[in-house]
Amino acid sequence: MAVEVVDQEVVARSFTQITDLTEEEVFFIMRLCADMKNGRIAPRPLAGKSVACIFAKQSLRTRVSFEVGIRELGGQSLYITDEEIKLGKRESISDVSQVLSRFVGMIMIRTFKQSDVDELARYASVPVVNGLTDLVHPCQIMGDYFTCTESLPNIKRFRIAYLGDGNNIANSWLNLASIVPMDLRIGTAASCQPDEQILSRAKANPESSILVTDDPKEAVANADVVYTDVWASMGQKDEAEAKSELLRKFQINSELLAGANPECLVMHCLPAERGREITDEVMDGPNSVVFDQAENRLHVQKAIMAFLLKQQ
Ligand code: CP
Ligand code: NVA
């Protein structure tokens, strides 16, 4: 059944982290995403509007899926590198935020510090969407959760095994687990733990079960989803060799995958360092849905943008 976006109070809602949403809103966005993907609805809430897309880090998927999605919602995107605007250095974040709010209908930003995104959202009179920070990658995990629900529609409470660095992807899974019931198992080394506050918040959700372990076999046991990401994220590539040493045993390969549910989904947000955190045979194997995940970024971000615009 097609979903109508409901009218609510007139305030600019931003999407800085998954925890900005309620459980009901997460599922609303999932249904809206399905309707957009299946062509049942094609709203154009950005008609006549522009979206400023600020990038302080590299991107393939985020840039292209936002640019295409903005166009499909009727708007136009402006690609702005941080080289150009020097957020917080050439001028204050609050000034940038207030100036952009006079020109555009929405701001998307990929940067390093979460506090910069939070500050941009605080001063903006238009929605701000987080396209990745060192702390979280909320659009990615919303898209990935959509991929889980469409690929395994009979499972209501997923057992998700995330293996690797306790980074922005691990933190975003934890954020989702703090509002949506799930069984999340993080396999990582003692020195690569996820964010402490985010972990405590997830553990505080009585409907989710959270385990952090340094035993990769324990993490993947009977998992419905086996997920990994690069061991050294953007901005931390100088730590690549050290992280490789620490995380070697968390590589997703056929042997480790044998401990998961045979029907499990293998997921990776991409870009992958094939042969490091994941082997070719697993990434190109029958359980892998990595390119569905990439495609779903487009559909979920359109749903997130439409949802936020309807809240104004
Ligand atoms: N997964 C993801 O965000 O990819 P990009 O870094 O290419 O945008
Ligand atoms: N953890 C990775 C995710 C890339 C989409 C990074 O931040 O580089």
Side-chain angles (χ1 to χ4, degrees), residues 55 58-63 110 131-132 137 140 234 269-271 297:
F55 283 88
Q58 296 165 325
S59 175
L60 168 65
R61 281 144 290 269
T62 304
R63 178 178 176 183
R110 163 170 288 196
L132 179 146
H137 194 2
Q140 179 70 51
M234 289 182 276
C269 56
L270 306 181
R297 291 288 304 280

Side-chain angles (χ1 to χ4, degrees), residues 33-49:
C33 177
D35 281 344
M36 286 181 167
K37 182 170 183 177
N38 299 326
R40 286 193 287 263
I41 58 168
R44 293 173 66 80
L46 282 171
K49 292 184 182 174

Side-chain angles (χ1 to χ4, degrees), residues 66-303:
F66 265 102
E67 291 196 357
V68 171
I70 289 162
R71 175 66 67 92
E72 289 180 9
L73 294 179
Q76 69 156 346
S77 61
L78 306 167
Y79 174 68
I80 304 166
T81 68
D82 193 55
E83 263 317 288
E84 195 62 39
I85 58 169
K86 300 262 182 231
L87 193 69
K89 297 191 185 76
R90 183 166 181 261
E91 59 188 317
S92 72
I93 295 176
S94 65
D95 286 353
V96 171
S97 186
Q98 290 174 82
V99 168
L100 283 177
S101 296
R102 301 290 179 108
F103 293 135
V104 301
M106 188 178 289
I107 302 166
M108 194 285 300
I109 178 164
R110 163 170 288 196
T111 191
F112 294 85
K113 283 160 58 185
Q114 179 67 24
S115 56
D116 287 358
V117 176
D118 295 341
E119 195 171 345
L120 200 65
R122 194 172 321 127
Y123 292 97
S125 55
V126 297
V128 172
V129 178
N130 184 345
L132 179 146
T133 60
D134 291 345
L135 187 71
V136 287
H137 194 2
C139 292
Q140 179 70 51
I141 298 310
M142 289 291 282
D144 294 339
Y145 189 59
F146 177 77
T147 306
C148 296
T149 60
E150 77 169 352
S151 307
L152 297 172
N154 297 325
I155 297 182
K156 296 288 165 247
R157 189 176 185 275
F158 292 93
R159 176 174 284 194
I160 295 176
Y162 172 91
L163 279 90
D165 191 29
N167 61 14
N168 42 14
I169 296 293
N171 290 335
S172 296
W173 273 118
L174 285 164
N175 268 342
L176 186 64
S178 73
I179 48 176
V180 169
M182 70 175 68
D183 180 356
L184 179 60
R185 291 150 174 244
I186 297 182
T188 190
S191 57
C192 301
Q193 299 288 299
D195 181 82
E196 218 171 287
Q197 270 188 331
I198 292 181
L199 178 62
S200 315
R201 187 173 176 167
K203 284 184 170 169
N205 181 358
E207 296 191 67
S208 284
S209 149
I210 310 291
L211 171 80
V212 181
T213 171
D214 66 356
D215 177 354
K217 287 199 173 112
E218 184 185 20
V220 301
N222 300 317
D224 304 309
V225 174
V226 179
Y227 197 118
T228 191
D229 181 20
V230 287
W231 289 337
S233 289
M234 289 182 276
Q236 302 162 7
K237 293 296 180 193
D238 54 339
E239 297 171 36
E241 287 319 309
K243 286 268 171 86
S244 265
E245 284 301 312
L246 290 165
L247 295 170
R248 194 180 307 280
K249 71 176 178 179
F250 299 95
Q251 181 192 66
I252 300 189
N253 51 40
S254 306
E255 194 189 327
L256 188 60
L257 202 61
N261 171 350
E263 307 297 317
C264 76
L265 306 177
V266 168
M267 300 182 91
H268 192 308
C269 56
L270 306 181
E273 292 191 28
R274 285 169 176 265
R276 217 172 248 226
E277 73 274 4
I278 189 166
T279 56
D280 281 334
E281 89 262 7
V282 171
M283 186 150 148
D284 299 326
N287 299 68
S288 173
V289 291
V290 299
F291 301 115
D292 294 331
Q293 286 177 260
E295 178 191 333
N296 286 334
R297 291 288 304 280
L298 168 67
H299 308 299
V300 88
Q301 285 158 198
K302 284 171 66 183

